[in-house]
């Protein structure tokens, strides 16, 4: 799966690195800002409608204590430049965020999504993103290459694929997420299934063009990275307007966990190919596909929070419906707030398993079974990670620190065999350690 932004590490002398750890926050993709884009046809034939999406985690924001709350005030500036570094478009916006306490301010899971919209000619560009603290000179910078293809052809063409987090009817074009009479919020992580919704949503547009046919066939295919094609459908539609909008939703109830490729083909009424688009996404680990396809593993995972003997009883249950009933009973007994529709503990549990699998899977060994994965699931995202990948006199190692929510804990993981599998060293409970920062 294509990563949106690669975490940047400065290359320094080995002697310096052994003395100074590389500090980073452990969050999905090791990032606190996600950046992506999609291109759509414009009402002006010589233009492309560019949508830029950015997801900012609390851990990236410059929070300050104001009275009894934490407040961040920042500016986001987005500039699109051509190959000669001439500005083609610019957008800036001021934002203010308030949270109740420092734990929320440092959260690696709380975020906000924004969108900037531009109309520019097709071509090759570079997008420059800058988040600036309003009270200091501190900034976070990101860059992204843009490949915007023209929609000016004699054939009908597909827009880029926008994966969708939420969509609802709307009647205000003043909303940055507004299009097709809807508020469509993008999914930048492109993970689906983990929140219990078990559905894939995506949005596309079809540009008819002046000389193209009005009737077309849209083929949609979902291909698993190991099991091949698991879904295929064909829709016939008439292109009654210059731009036809489609919001699609596909149930993931029968889908295995893993990486998928979404393939959309556009054919004319004689089944001649007009256009094709592909995009990657992931079906996350969740209770439904675990019970159907990985029941033994689903039970093993519960050992992190189960009482002695509980998992042995679950192992003996046969049949999906009985297993589902038993799992629902298991989680209901641990629901921290039964008055709500969701089980916060359950959502957090599988969210951490997904992070562990994405970050720590090594040589076919799933991330949640590794030492770092186990500590992540048991204790949550660490407050600080010190990474020593180039130590001279010892193998690469990491120190994980927990100090925000109670007793100080420190875990050390060593890459003994230089294969990326960092193993926990004594003391295994993280106690009786002193901070070294």
């Amino acid at each position: 799966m294509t990563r949106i932004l690669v975490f940047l590490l400065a290359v320094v002398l080995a002697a310096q690195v052994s003395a100074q750890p590389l500090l980073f926050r452990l969050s999905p993709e090791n990032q606190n800002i996600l950046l992506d884009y999609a291109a759509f046809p414009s009402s002006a034939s010589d233009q492309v409608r560019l949508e830029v999406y950015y997801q900012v985690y609390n851990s990236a924001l410059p929070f300050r204590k104001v009275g009894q709350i934490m407040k961040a005030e920042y500016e986001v500036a987005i500039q699109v430049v051509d190959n000669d570094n001439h500005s083609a478009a610019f957008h800036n916006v001021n934002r203010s965020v308030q949270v109740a306490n420092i734990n929320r301010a440092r959260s690696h899971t709380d975020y906000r999504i924004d969108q900037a919209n531009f109309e520019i000619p097709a071509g090759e560009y570079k997008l420059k993103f800058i988040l600036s603290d309003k009270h200091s000179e501190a900034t976070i910078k990101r860059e992204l290459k843009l490949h915007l293809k023209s929609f000016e052809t004699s054939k009908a063409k597909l827009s880029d694929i926008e994966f969708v987090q939420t969509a609802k009817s709307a009647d205000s074009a003043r909303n940055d997420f507004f299009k097709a009479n809807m508020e469509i919020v993008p999914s930048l992580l492109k993970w689906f299934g983990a929140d219990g919704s078990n559905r894939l949503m995506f949005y596309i547009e079809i540009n008819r063009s002046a000389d193209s046919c009005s009737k077309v066939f849209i083929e949609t295919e979902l291909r698993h990275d190991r099991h091949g094609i698991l879904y295929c459908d064909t829709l016939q539609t008439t292109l009654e307007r210059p731009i036809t909008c489609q919001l699609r939703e596909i149930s993931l109830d029968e889908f295995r966990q893993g990486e998928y490729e979404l393939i959309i083909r556009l054919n004319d009424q004689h089944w001649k190919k007009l256009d094709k688009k592909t995009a990657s996404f992931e079906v996350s680990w969740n209770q439904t596909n675990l019970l159907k396809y990985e029941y033994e593993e689903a039970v093993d995972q519960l050992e992190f929070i189960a009482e002695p003997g509980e998992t042995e009883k679950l192992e003996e249950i046969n049949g999906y419906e009985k297993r589902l009933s038993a799992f629902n009973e298991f989680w209901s007994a641990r629901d921290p707030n039964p008055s709500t529709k969701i089980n916060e503990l359950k959502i957090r549990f599988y969210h951490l398993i997904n992070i562990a699998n994405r970050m720590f899977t090594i040589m076919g060994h799933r991330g949640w079974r590794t030492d770092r994965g186990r500590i992540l699931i048991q204790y949550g995202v660490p407050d600080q990670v010190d990474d020593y990948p180039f130590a001279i006199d010892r193998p690469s190692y990491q120190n994980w620190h927990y100090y925000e929510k109670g007793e100080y804990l420190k875990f050390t993981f060593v890459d003994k065999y230089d294969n990326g599998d960092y193993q926990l060293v004594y003391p295994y409970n993280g106690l009786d350690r002193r901070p070294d920062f």
Side-chain angles (χ1 to χ4, degrees):
M1 173 178 289
T2 303
R3 301 295 186 244
I4 301 176
L5 288 172
V6 179
F7 186 78
L8 184 62
L9 299 178
V11 179
V12 295
L13 294 176
Q16 292 175 317
V17 174
S18 63
Q20 298 292 331
L22 298 172
L23 305 180
F24 65 96
R25 291 287 189 179
L26 187 66
S27 59
E29 312 268 333
N30 269 354
Q31 303 170 114
N32 50 19
I33 295 177
L34 305 181
L35 192 61
D36 204 0
Y37 76 96
F40 299 93
S42 168
S43 56
S45 60
D46 61 340
Q47 301 281 301
V48 172
R49 196 176 87 250
L50 170 66
E51 295 184 356
V52 177
Y53 317 123
Y54 52 101
Q55 180 168 316
V56 180
Y57 287 84
N58 282 7
S59 56
L61 297 178
F63 281 98
R64 290 171 175 79
K65 190 171 180 60
V66 179
Q68 299 300 313
I69 64 170
M70 303 295 294
K71 185 175 183 179
E73 295 179 300
Y74 62 99
E75 178 185 19
V76 169
I78 298 174
Q79 185 178 28
V80 180
V81 299
D82 61 20
N83 289 331
D84 296 322
N85 210 36
H86 296 145
S87 180
F90 182 79
H91 166 91
N92 77 300
V93 63
N94 293 306
R95 291 281 186 257
S96 176
V97 178
Q98 296 182 6
V99 296
N101 52 55
I102 192 169
N103 290 330
R104 291 292 301 276
R106 294 180 176 178
S107 171
H108 306 274
T109 55
D110 290 355
Y111 61 83
R112 55 213 32 84
I113 295 176
D114 278 302
Q115 177 174 318
N117 304 309
F118 306 97
E119 296 264 349
I120 59 176
E124 302 293 314
Y125 297 93
K126 181 184 293 183
L127 185 145
K128 299 181 178 181
F129 175 97
I130 302 176
L131 187 151
S132 306
D133 182 5
K134 298 290 288 186
H135 300 283
S136 73
E137 297 181 357
T139 62
I140 298 176
K141 299 181 179 181
R142 299 284 189 266
E143 289 191 355
L144 194 64
K145 290 184 177 181
L146 307 179
H147 308 280
L148 307 182
K149 294 184 178 180
S150 173
F151 289 93
E152 286 189 290
T153 68
S154 59
K155 301 188 299 182
K157 295 197 69 175
L158 292 165
S159 71
D160 288 339
I161 299 170
E162 176 189 0
F163 288 106
V164 176
Q165 180 171 293
T166 62
K168 63 181 181 181
S169 297
D171 57 6
S172 174
R174 291 174 295 183
N175 188 321
D176 289 335
F177 299 113
F178 181 84
K179 54 179 176 277
N181 294 320
M182 300 193 74
E183 180 185 274
I184 297 176
V185 180
S187 171
L188 277 77
L189 281 174
K190 302 172 186 176
W191 295 3
F192 296 91
D195 61 356
S197 63
N198 262 22
R199 61 178 181 172
L200 167 71
M201 285 205 301
F202 60 92
Y203 174 84
I204 59 169
E205 293 181 3
I206 306 170
N207 188 53
R208 186 176 63 187
S209 82
D211 301 326
S212 66
C213 59
S214 60
K215 291 185 178 180
V216 294
F217 292 93
I218 306 170
E219 291 184 272
T220 302
E221 183 177 289
L222 299 181
R223 185 186 297 271
H224 188 271
D225 60 346
R226 296 192 310 275
H227 300 287
I229 298 174
L230 296 184
Y231 178 88
C232 186
D233 71 32
T234 301
L235 299 177
Q236 181 180 356
T237 188
T238 301
L239 305 180
E240 298 177 344
R241 298 180 177 86
I243 299 174
T244 299
C245 307
Q246 286 209 340
L247 177 67
R248 293 288 313 277
E249 182 176 322
I250 298 175
S251 171
L252 299 176
D253 284 342
E254 302 298 326
F255 280 61
R256 294 174 177 269
Q257 178 272 344
E259 294 189 359
Y260 286 79
E261 186 176 37
L262 168 62
I263 304 167
I264 301 177
R265 299 182 182 90
L266 184 66
N267 302 313
D268 66 16
Q269 55 191 332
H270 303 294
W271 286 94
K272 182 179 179 181
K273 178 183 173 182
L274 299 172
D275 203 2
K276 175 183 175 182
K277 291 290 183 179
T278 63
S280 297
F281 69 97
E282 183 166 334
V283 174
S284 301
W285 285 62
N286 58 66
Q287 181 176 287
T288 301
N289 61 41
L290 280 170
L291 294 183
K292 288 184 176 179
Y293 306 116
E294 308 278 355
Y295 184 67
E296 183 177 342
E297 193 149 358
V299 174
D300 288 346
Q301 290 171 354
L302 298 185
E303 291 182 357
F304 287 111
I305 56 176
E307 298 294 333
E310 261 191 304
T311 57
E312 294 178 9
K313 296 177 182 177
L314 291 171
E315 289 172 359
E316 300 172 356
I317 300 174
N318 294 314
Y320 172 75
E321 295 300 331
K322 291 182 179 179
R323 289 173 174 176
L324 177 61
S325 177
F327 262 65
N328 287 340
E329 183 178 337
F330 176 91
W331 283 110
S332 293
R334 292 165 172 79
D335 190 344
N337 192 355
S339 63
T340 63
K341 293 182 179 180
I342 62 173
N343 185 328
E344 294 85 353
L345 178 62
K346 179 180 176 181
I347 289 175
R348 178 180 180 274
F349 181 78
Y350 286 111
H351 176 70
L352 291 173
I353 286 178
N354 277 302
I355 293 177
N357 285 336
R358 291 178 68 89
M359 297 188 69
F360 305 134
T361 294
I362 183 75
M363 297 181 296
H365 196 49
R366 285 172 170 160
W368 75 270
R369 292 187 183 275
T370 66
D371 285 354
R372 287 185 297 178
R374 289 189 298 101
I375 297 302
L376 177 72
I377 295 165
Q378 285 181 275
Y379 297 95
V381 176
D383 300 302
Q384 180 177 314
V385 176
D386 305 335
D387 191 19
Y388 298 82
F390 309 114
I392 296 176
D393 55 349
R394 60 182 294 183
S396 302
Y397 68 100
Q398 292 181 352
N399 288 329
W400 288 20
H401 307 273
Y402 294 84
Y403 46 76
E404 293 292 349
K405 298 179 181 179
E407 187 174 16
Y408 173 77
L409 300 174
K410 176 182 174 181
F411 298 93
T412 298
F413 305 88
V414 177
D415 187 5
K416 293 181 180 180
Y417 305 105
D418 196 28
N419 61 1
D421 185 15
Y422 284 72
Q423 298 179 14
L424 181 65
V425 299
Y426 183 85
Y428 306 115
N429 59 8
L431 295 171
D432 302 321
R433 307 287 296 276
R434 304 184 69 179
D436 53 5
F437 54 86

